[in-house]
Amino acid sequence: MAAGNEVSSTYYIQHHLQNLTFGNHPVNGWSLANSAEEAREMGFWAIHLDTMGWSIAMGLLFIWFFRKAGKMATTGVPGGLQNAVEMVVEFIENLTRATFHGKNPMIAPLALTLFVWILLMNTLKIIPVDYFPVLFAKLGVDYMKIVPTTDPNATLGMALGVFGLIIYYSIKVKGAGGFARELSLTPFNHWALIPFNLVLEIIGLLVKPLGLGLRLFGNMFAGEVIFILIALLPFWAIWLLDVPWAIFHILVVTLQAFIFTTLSVVYLSAAHEHH
């Protein structure tokens, strides 16, 4: 009985951590993966449909909320939605002024998009872990992970987008030659130490997107695992632990959105600075 419970618990955890994967299987062709093994066999180009779907849905929700607030904006007594949106916009404006020292009108809108989008995706974690998997199972969909930021493909994808902007603005602001000189003559301004400088600077440059993506993924994935483990406990223990952990996690999901946004602005600020 104990062995059966262990197998059941292992299957439950693995099932909840498996994405809905679509790809070209060597045997089945283009199809949905029926197991984690099939998902691995589909290779690098397989797509996590749940990650894509929920992240796009949260992006559309973000646009809808802010568009609705903009259309309802009034110079009189603002409503609750307008107050909430204005608080977020003011918060991001203050964050950008404090951390970005260049002149670029795109940085504040980018920071606002990153913060709200990541916050909405993270907040999906507050929904009970069994709710959507059970609902979609009744519709014939075997796997459904609804929190995109528990998938490294999503977090590293956003981080690579920020990294692309870092490279773009570094070259645009400093010129290709200026960017190359910064990499080769920092921190030691001597031609003999150029190889050493390049190793240090290139590693430091590559660590930025890795740190951004893996930090967000690691924190959100760990929280997801804890929610799943709590769901395996007896009914009374679930209520005893799940509610406090969910309340605590409200702080975590907000903090992780804040950290990702702040570091992105800091890195982009450095890309605009001349050394």
Side-chain angles (χ1 to χ4, degrees):
M1 179 64 70
N5 289 336
E6 182 178 347
V7 171
S8 177
S9 299
T10 301
Y11 172 79
Y12 178 86
I13 295 171
Q14 291 176 343
H15 181 274
H16 277 63
L17 295 178
Q18 174 64 34
N19 286 96
L20 177 63
T21 307
F22 177 80
N24 189 8
H25 190 268
V27 176
N28 302 328
W30 291 98
S31 59
L32 292 173
N34 295 313
S35 65
E37 183 179 356
E38 283 192 12
R40 285 193 296 270
E41 291 171 349
M42 287 178 176
F44 178 79
W45 295 108
I47 300 174
H48 291 171
L49 296 180
D50 43 10
T51 296
M52 292 292 294
W54 288 103
S55 59
I56 292 171
M58 291 303 100
L60 294 175
L61 182 62
F62 161 53
I63 293 171
W64 180 80
F65 265 129
F66 276 68
R67 183 175 182 272
K68 183 177 181 181
K71 293 177 69 175
M72 295 172 56
T74 176
T75 56
V77 179
L81 179 60
Q82 184 179 340
N83 270 328
V85 169
E86 287 179 352
M87 286 176 59
V88 173
V89 171
E90 184 178 355
F91 170 72
I92 294 298
E93 284 181 345
N94 293 333
L95 170 65
T96 306
R97 289 195 189 101
T99 55
F100 185 76
H101 307 298
K103 292 183 179 180
N104 190 334
M106 294 297 297
I107 300 302
L110 173 66
L112 178 66
T113 301
L114 284 174
F115 178 75
V116 179
W117 192 25
I118 294 172
L119 180 62
L120 289 173
M121 290 190 288
N122 288 354
T123 304
L124 289 170
K125 184 180 289 293
I126 306 302
I127 300 173
V129 294
D130 284 328
Y131 184 82
F132 277 102
V134 171
L135 176 61
F136 276 88
K138 293 179 179 179
L139 299 175
V141 180
D142 292 331
Y143 299 100
M144 180 55 59
K145 278 181 65 179
I146 68 168
V147 186
T149 46
T150 60
D151 185 348
N153 293 285
T155 59
L156 287 173
M158 290 186 293
L160 287 173
V162 174
F163 180 68
L165 290 174
I166 292 171
I167 300 300
Y168 171 75
Y169 283 117
S170 293
I171 296 174
K172 181 179 179 180
V173 173
K174 305 165 189 177
F179 182 46
R181 283 192 298 272
E182 181 179 274
L183 292 178
S184 58
L185 297 175
T186 305
F188 303 108
N189 190 9
H190 193 281
W191 65 267
L193 294 173
I194 286 178
F196 182 71
N197 289 336
L198 283 173
V199 171
L200 287 180
E201 289 299 305
I202 291 174
I203 290 176
L205 197 61
L206 295 177
V207 162
K208 291 177 180 178
L210 285 175
L212 275 177
L214 293 180
R215 181 185 293 104
L216 177 59
F217 161 71
N219 281 277
M220 300 311 297
F221 184 80
E224 182 80 352
V225 171
I226 292 176
F227 274 120
I228 293 172
L229 293 176
I230 291 174
L232 290 169
L233 297 175
F235 178 80
W236 61 268
I238 292 177
W239 280 101
L240 184 65
L241 297 176
D242 198 40
V243 174
W245 180 245
I247 294 172
F248 170 74
H249 224 63
I250 293 173
L251 300 176
V252 174
V253 300
T254 308
L255 180 62
Q256 291 306 313
F258 171 75
I259 291 174
F260 191 101
T261 304
T262 302
L263 289 177
S264 297
V265 175
V266 169
Y267 294 154
L268 288 167
S269 179
H272 285 72
E273 294 174 358
H274 291 275
H275 298 282

